[in-house]
Amino acid sequence: MHMELKSMEWTKDFSIDFFVDKDHRHLIDIINDLVELINTNGSRSDFARILSAMTDYSLFHFKKEEAYMQAFNYPKLEEHKKYHKEYVLETVKYNFALLNYDTTEPMEVINFLKSWWTKHIMVIDADYQKYKNEVHSDAVYGRPQQ
């Protein structure tokens, strides 16, 4: 018997900043679309299509986030960019595996996404926001800097 997979829930512990949260909520919504697909026995190709959309959105988000960190001279920016690169490589590998029908299980992908985003938002991203507040920067996420 197949256990129903739980959705990822947004909690206040994920909150960083209003604008950053908007992007993160969207990413969690996409993870939940993938969860729904597994729960309804959706196809691997649909799973790969949604995962690909998630990768695209992640790239868009990472670009904005990196510009934001740059705006207040976050000292761990290079390290943070590395996390982003590793994530993208990992999801691209999963996508490739799914499309080539190898043994990668969608469950494995979901577990990776849930744990990566939870740690990334609550630990890694929370750290840059803490630094931004400490230096009293007025940088705004998603707004090009002068």
Side-chain angles (χ1 to χ4, degrees), residues 38-50:
I38 288 180
N39 287 337
T40 57
N41 287 319
S43 72
R44 285 174 73 94
S45 60
D46 280 345
F47 193 91
R49 184 180 47 76
I50 295 172

Side-chain angles (χ1 to χ4, degrees), residues 53-67:
M54 180 164 189
T55 305
D56 292 346
Y57 193 83
S58 301
L59 287 167
F60 163 76
H61 166 65
F62 292 159
K63 218 174 132 172
K64 286 199 304 189
E65 198 174 63
E66 289 167 10

Side-chain angles (χ1 to χ4, degrees), residues 28 58 87 125 132 136 145:
I28 288 173
S58 301
Y87 167 83
D125 287 353
K132 178 191 181 271
H136 305 290
Q145 302 308 312

Side-chain angles (χ1 to χ4, degrees), residues 15 19 51 62 65 72 74 94 99 104 106 115 128 130 133:
S15 196
F19 298 105
L51 184 61
F62 292 159
E65 198 174 63
F72 54 84
Y74 182 54
Y94 277 132
L99 290 169
T104 299
S115 72
Y128 73 63
K130 187 171 158 271
N133 295 338

Side-chain angles (χ1 to χ4, degrees), residues 2-138:
H2 171 71
M3 275 277 296
E4 178 103 347
L5 191 58
K6 278 175 64 82
S7 295
M8 194 170 169
E9 237 177 282
W10 178 269
T11 69
K12 66 178 182 9
D13 298 336
F14 280 127
S15 196
I16 303 289
D17 160 271
F18 176 78
F19 298 105
V20 178
D21 291 353
K22 241 175 90 166
D23 278 7
H24 287 161
R25 280 176 184 269
H26 185 70
L27 287 157
I28 288 173
D29 285 344
I30 299 174
I31 290 173
N32 289 334
D33 288 347
L34 292 169
V35 167
E36 179 62 24
L37 202 63
I38 288 180
N39 287 337
T40 57
N41 287 319
S43 72
R44 285 174 73 94
S45 60
D46 280 345
F47 193 91
R49 184 180 47 76
I50 295 172
L51 184 61
S52 180
M54 180 164 189
T55 305
D56 292 346
Y57 193 83
S58 301
L59 287 167
F60 163 76
H61 166 65
F62 292 159
K63 218 174 132 172
K64 286 199 304 189
E65 198 174 63
E66 289 167 10
Y68 179 56
M69 289 183 275
Q70 183 115 42
F72 54 84
N73 297 312
Y74 182 54
K76 298 181 194 165
L77 175 62
E78 288 311 309
E79 187 184 328
H80 198 111
K81 282 180 171 177
K82 213 176 85 195
Y83 288 122
H84 288 169
K85 269 195 190 93
E86 287 165 3
Y87 167 83
V88 171
L89 277 171
E90 199 63 29
T91 52
V92 165
K93 277 196 300 203
Y94 277 132
N95 230 331
F96 188 73
L98 285 160
L99 290 169
N100 287 290
Y101 294 94
D102 81 353
T103 55
T104 299
E105 277 306 309
M107 279 294 297
E108 182 188 328
V109 182
I110 293 285
N111 291 335
F112 165 76
L113 293 173
K114 281 182 171 182
S115 72
W116 194 91
W117 281 104
T118 299
K119 178 181 182 228
H120 194 75
I121 295 171
M122 292 170 86
V123 179
I124 314 286
D125 287 353
D127 188 68
Y128 73 63
Q129 196 63 25
K130 187 171 158 271
Y131 177 83
K132 178 191 181 271
N133 295 338
E134 283 168 6
V135 297
H136 305 290
S137 169
D138 58 1

